[in-house]
Amino acid sequence: MAAVAAVSGAVIADGILQHAGNPIAEQRDLAGGRALAPLGDRVVLAVGGADRLTWLESLSTQQISALVPGQSSELLILDPNGRVEHAAAVVDDGATAWLVVDRADADGLLSWLVKMRFRLRVDPRDARDELVVVGGTAAAVAALAAAAPAGVPLVWHDPWPEVGTGGWAYAVDAGHPGQDWDWSEALVLPAELARLAGEAAAGRQRLAGSIAADALRIAAWRPRIADADEKLLPHEVDWLRTAVHLHKGCYRGQETVAKVHNLGHPPRRLVSLQLDGSDTNLPARGDGVRAADTTVGVVIAAAQHYEDGPIALALVRRSTPLDAELVVDTQDGPVAAAQEVIIPPGAGATASVPRIPRLGRRR
């Protein structure tokens, strides 16, 4: 990311390009395919070995044993109670499975993968010094020289919001803002990032920062591991669409996934919040959401969107009325919020379980 620091207007914090001078304009350029986003908050992990795909499938929520070279997928690692612990985008090149993960999640995921090798032919490793991640629309990313160590360009195309094989959609598709979501991530050599930064410094390439990329994601209702707390079930954020195969073999947490989907309801539901725009202060992750005097949930992500203004994603109790007037309690005071339903209260309970009639007392 050092090369990007030379770009005029670039603001970098903790090795992450926050913005290149104008986060709002960067969103517009990023969505329109005119900008690329160096993603310093992403890390690449690599899993080599002949057993890599069947091994990853056995550990995760996704069916990837038949993944063909160049095909994109997404998986989750759950705890024994079905709560989300790790998430990864996956692309395989025929020799190695490449995982794109949030930087904050990388060390924990890699440590767990190393512990789960046993006697299998797998070799998980940290590849952050080998490859870096650049995101944008599919067309914009196609202009990059993606790394191809086995002859297959390493580009992950985000499947969101399409429902994958074995997946399930809780949010309705009609009017889903994710229909406009066009996102891909290329794994490139550091030299390619340096070239991109040089083009930007010369005024021949527009760059966008993580603020712009995250605002577009939030507007598309796209979940990310950075949003997760220690209680998150994949059902609560509609992650069954792209990251869960409901009919694959056993994995840790599967029993909870099946029970909630077939017989129960997610205890919380995701909502999109349109925030009062009279104040420029955005809520922080973890800020409380209340209806009247009762706290009903928390904000998990917020952004200033180039078209929609101040927006947020929040997890609220399933029982929260759909017409409730919500307020977000921020550090700078309360902010009024209008909710848009993403996960309906009736999500889940998809199995048709016949009722057994009660047997009356014989007379």
Side-chain angles (χ1 to χ4, degrees):
M1 201 59 67
V4 177
V7 177
S8 177
V11 173
I12 295 176
D14 195 23
I16 300 169
L17 176 64
Q18 302 295 317
H19 63 83
N22 189 334
I24 298 298
E26 290 164 31
Q27 290 178 49
R28 187 178 292 107
D29 288 339
L30 197 55
R34 297 180 297 275
L36 289 162
L39 300 174
D41 55 352
R42 307 282 206 278
V43 165
V44 179
L45 305 180
V47 181
D51 297 329
R52 65 190 182 282
L53 291 180
T54 53
W55 177 66
L56 287 170
E57 179 173 311
S58 71
L59 299 175
S60 74
T61 57
Q62 191 59 276
Q63 189 173 70
I64 61 170
S65 57
L67 204 65
V68 300
Q71 184 180 357
S72 300
S73 188
E74 181 182 22
L75 60 80
L76 304 175
I77 303 294
L78 308 182
D79 74 5
N81 296 312
R83 298 184 174 95
V84 178
E85 285 195 336
H86 308 288
V90 187
V91 61
D92 191 87
D93 63 6
T96 303
W98 301 90
L99 311 182
V100 182
V101 302
D102 277 19
R103 189 174 71 178
D105 190 40
D107 291 342
L109 175 56
L110 179 60
S111 176
W112 190 75
L113 290 175
V114 168
K115 291 176 183 177
M116 299 302 292
R117 288 176 299 176
F118 303 114
R119 294 179 179 271
L120 296 174
R121 296 170 295 173
V122 293
D123 179 26
R125 72 178 193 277
D126 191 330
R128 76 182 74 193
D129 293 332
E130 305 169 39
L131 299 170
V132 293
V133 184
V134 179
T137 65
V141 164
L144 292 168
V152 177
L154 300 180
V155 179
W156 179 74
H157 299 290
D158 190 353
W160 184 265
E162 298 301 319
V163 181
T165 303
W168 194 279
Y170 283 165
V172 297
D173 287 328
H176 194 298
Q179 298 296 341
D180 297 325
W181 176 244
D182 176 2
W183 188 256
S184 297
E185 295 178 1
L187 282 56
V188 304
L189 296 172
E192 175 66 1
L193 178 60
R195 182 198 67 79
L196 181 66
E199 291 290 298
R204 294 188 294 268
Q205 172 65 57
R206 299 180 189 179
L207 296 184
S210 61
I211 293 174
D214 213 42
L216 297 180
R217 174 191 73 85
I218 292 168
W221 302 348
R222 212 286 181 232
R224 183 179 175 187
I225 192 65
D227 303 337
D229 59 15
E230 70 283 355
K231 301 184 293 182
L232 185 70
L233 298 174
H235 318 63
E236 295 175 327
V237 292
D238 212 18
W239 231 337
L240 270 63
R241 279 179 180 268
T242 55
V244 178
H245 194 295
L246 291 168
H247 309 299
K248 70 176 286 288
C250 239
Y251 58 90
R252 191 173 68 169
Q254 183 186 30
E255 184 177 0
T256 298
V257 170
K259 280 185 176 180
V260 172
H261 179 64
N262 292 316
L263 303 175
H265 300 284
R268 300 179 296 179
R269 58 182 181 86
L270 188 66
V271 296
S272 175
L273 300 180
Q274 187 70 50
L275 303 169
D276 180 358
S278 61
D279 194 338
T280 58
N281 294 311
L282 287 173
R285 182 177 179 273
D287 282 351
V289 178
R290 57 182 169 84
D293 295 326
T294 303
T295 299
V296 296
V298 294
V299 169
I300 61 173
Q304 185 78 29
H305 190 261
Y306 76 102
E307 289 184 332
D308 298 337
I311 57 174
L313 295 175
L315 282 169
V316 301
R317 297 175 189 168
R318 185 173 71 88
S319 59
T320 303
L322 301 181
D323 58 353
E325 295 183 3
L326 301 180
V327 173
V328 179
D329 288 316
T330 75
Q331 183 178 358
D332 299 305
V335 176
Q339 66 164 314
E340 181 176 359
V341 176
I342 299 178
I343 306 298
T350 60
S352 179
V353 180
R355 292 182 175 272
I356 300 175
R358 291 187 177 183
L359 299 177
R361 183 184 301 174
R362 285 189 172 184
R363 295 184 181 274

